Amino acid sequence: MGSEPRITKQELRDPARRADMLWDERAAAFEPFPVRVRALAEAADEVAHVVGLAELAGIPWKPRPEGQFGVEGPIPDAVREGPSELWHEFDHRVEVAERAAAATSTADVQMAFEALREILTAIADALDADR
């Protein structure tokens, strides 16, 4: 009984859909730039949280095709503001997230979205400091 999952696949379905929709909406938003970056960081945090719940429950990750975020990631180069070194790191972390999402490790997906949250938060903080 102690090895039974505390959350079932069925119970995780709605939070997972909400997290996916939140990520998609935030990635496509046209809000003022610092707000958009911070909102995307919050969405990455929500995805990491839901994926973490799935990992704890032993629910396997269903691979998704690479390239889900597009060629330039969820924020195109043309509209990026802030330190280029942070954006370079962001691009690297998007690639890691895409590879993780295309594979089968739930833990890797969770870590990738936590890393995206961290870099997006750092970018948003840098943008706020410049204003």
Side-chain angles (χ1 to χ4, degrees):
M1 190 159 165
S3 65
E4 292 294 314
R6 294 177 189 228
I7 188 168
T8 66
K9 191 173 187 176
Q10 190 68 17
E11 292 169 324
L12 194 58
R13 185 168 288 142
D14 286 340
R17 283 186 188 139
R18 281 193 302 275
D20 279 346
M21 287 186 337
L22 183 63
W23 175 261
D24 291 342
E25 288 170 6
R26 300 279 172 90
F30 289 100
E31 298 166 336
F33 201 68
V35 173
R36 180 179 180 193
V37 173
R38 197 164 303 280
L40 194 54
E42 292 167 2
D45 187 55
E46 184 64 23
V47 171
H49 174 73
V50 169
V51 173
L53 290 175
E55 173 72 8
L56 288 173
I59 299 169
W61 176 256
K62 181 180 176 187
R64 298 180 181 183
E66 283 192 60
Q68 177 179 341
F69 303 126
V71 175
E72 295 180 299
I75 300 178
D77 288 339
V79 299
R80 292 179 179 185
E81 299 174 19
S84 61
E85 65 275 3
L86 292 178
W87 283 111
H88 177 72
E89 181 61 24
F90 168 79
D91 290 336
H92 170 71
R93 292 183 187 195
V94 166
E95 290 173 11
V96 169
E98 287 180 336
R99 284 193 305 272
T104 59
S105 172
T106 307
D108 287 351
V109 174
Q110 179 185 9
M111 288 187 298
F113 274 89
E114 287 172 348
L116 280 173
R117 179 202 63 228
E118 291 170 4
I119 194 64
L120 286 163
T121 299
I123 292 168
D125 290 347
L127 291 170
D128 285 343
D130 285 346
R131 298 202 187 279

